[in-house]
């Protein structure tokens, strides 16, 4: 039996087991997806232990995405983002990838949205923001980045071609000049808040939220009301998982099956 899993702290409410095991079932793979919650000081021994035990692959989440860079060989995208969310133990040394970045791009592709030369307002320069910024930039998008802590937005914009940094107060003006609006912050998670005011959104916008609890955030409710294309946080979750599955198994991810399994829980 092959063993895959998620390493993070906490990981109790993760939907990744459901997502991945639906794909194993589809292909009749003898595989399981487990969750592991090591103490922060044990991360190095946990990664080496996973390798020694023959675990095939691990997803990595908060707070370990940056720390595991030291114990794997990151690909160039993970290196630029400075974070790994997928480890492939079939390579020696284990290889680190970042499927949050490619997952976001695939979520847009799923909705037939062209990213080449698209103007994007990216709100948030934390872990998710960084990954999405690099993924979208690689796909040819032009980014305008805002973040509550302005220094973080500046640092991210400086590390990317075709990106500028702005203050949160500039959101209304920037939104009116951008085709795509993305919330990558935790604002809206379990609360009725949005950093992008409803009156900034028109029917010509494409609006994405990475928050998936609730699945229809205040931001997405405003987008739907305005007649914009809305892409909820489930799509990025789905495609980052799909991409990890493909890296580990070499098989094409059964998107419809994985999406159905995920949507039952969202
Ligand atoms: P993740 O890995 O989920 O992206 P993170 O790296 O902690 O988590 O980033 C959280 C993001 O949400 C950051 O952009 C954070 O802004 P700061 O860099 O200023 O901390 C943003 N964020 C969280 N709460 C916020 C709030 N109440 N208002 C504005 N931005 C907020």
């Amino acid at each position: 039996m092959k063993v895959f899993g998620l390493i993070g702290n906490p990981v109790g409410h993760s939907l990744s087991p459901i997502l991945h095991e639906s794909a194993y079932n589809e292909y009749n793979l003898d595989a399981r997806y487990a969750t592991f919650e090591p103490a922060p000081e044990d991360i190095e021994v946990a990664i080496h232990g996973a390798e020694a035990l023959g675990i095939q692959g691990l997803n990595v989440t908060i707070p370990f995405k940056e720390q595991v860079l030291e114990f794997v060989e990151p690909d160039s995208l993970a290196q630029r983002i400075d974070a790994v969310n997928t480890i492939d133990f079939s390579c020696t040394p284990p290889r680190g990838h970042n499927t949050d970045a490619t997952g976001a791009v695939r979520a847009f592709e799923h909705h037939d949205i062209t990213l080449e030369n698209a103007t994007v307002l990216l709100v948030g320069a934390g872990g998710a923001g960084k990954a999405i910024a690099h993924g979208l930039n690689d796909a040819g998008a032009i980014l305008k980045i805002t973040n509550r802590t302005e220094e973080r937005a500046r640092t991210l914009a400086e590390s990317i071609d075709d990106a500028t940094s702005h203050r949160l107060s500039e959101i209304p003006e920037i939104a009116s000049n951008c085709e795509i609006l993305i919330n990558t912050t935790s604002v809206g998670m379990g609360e009725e808040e949005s950093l992008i005011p409803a009156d900034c959104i028109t029917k010509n916008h494409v609006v994405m939220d990475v928050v998936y609890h609730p699945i229809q955030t205040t931001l997405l409710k405003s987008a739907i009301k305005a007649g914009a294309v809305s892409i909820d946080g489930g799509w990025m979750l789905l495609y980052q998982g799909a991409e990890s599955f493909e890296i580990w198994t070499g098989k094409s991810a059964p998107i419809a099956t994985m999406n159905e399994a995920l949507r039952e829980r969202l």
Side-chain angles (χ1 to χ4, degrees), residues 62 65 124-129 147-149 152 168 184-187 195:
I62 292 169
K65 286 185 186 186
N147 194 57
R148 176 178 60 182
T149 309
R152 268 181 124 178
L168 284 186
T184 75
T185 74
S186 50
V187 175
L195 292 173

Side-chain angles (χ1 to χ4, degrees), residues 72 182 187:
V72 301
I182 310 177
V187 175

Side-chain angles (χ1 to χ4, degrees), residues 22-31:
S22 72
Y24 306 155
N25 289 339
E26 179 79 17
Y27 277 110
N28 281 320
L29 295 181
D30 189 14

Side-chain angles (χ1 to χ4, degrees), residues 2-25:
K2 292 187 171 171
V3 178
F4 302 93
L6 170 68
I7 190 164
N9 198 334
V11 290
H13 292 108
S14 170
L15 295 171
S16 291
I18 287 157
L19 188 62
H20 284 271
E21 293 201 340
S22 72
Y24 306 155
N25 289 339

Side-chain angles (χ1 to χ4, degrees), residues 15 19 25 57 62 68 109 112 132 135 139 152 164 172 188 193-194 199 215 222 231 239 243 253:
L15 295 171
L19 188 62
N25 289 339
I62 292 169
V68 301
E109 284 170 359
D112 290 328
I132 295 173
R152 268 181 124 178
T164 48
E193 299 286 339
S194 170
D199 59 7
I215 191 66
S222 309
I231 304 177
Y239 277 106
E243 185 97 3

Side-chain angles (χ1 to χ4, degrees), residues 51-68:
E51 187 180 9
L53 289 172
I55 287 177
Q56 308 275 309
L58 284 178
N59 284 131
V60 185
T61 188
I62 292 169
F64 301 130
K65 286 185 186 186
E66 292 85 15
Q67 279 163 275
V68 301

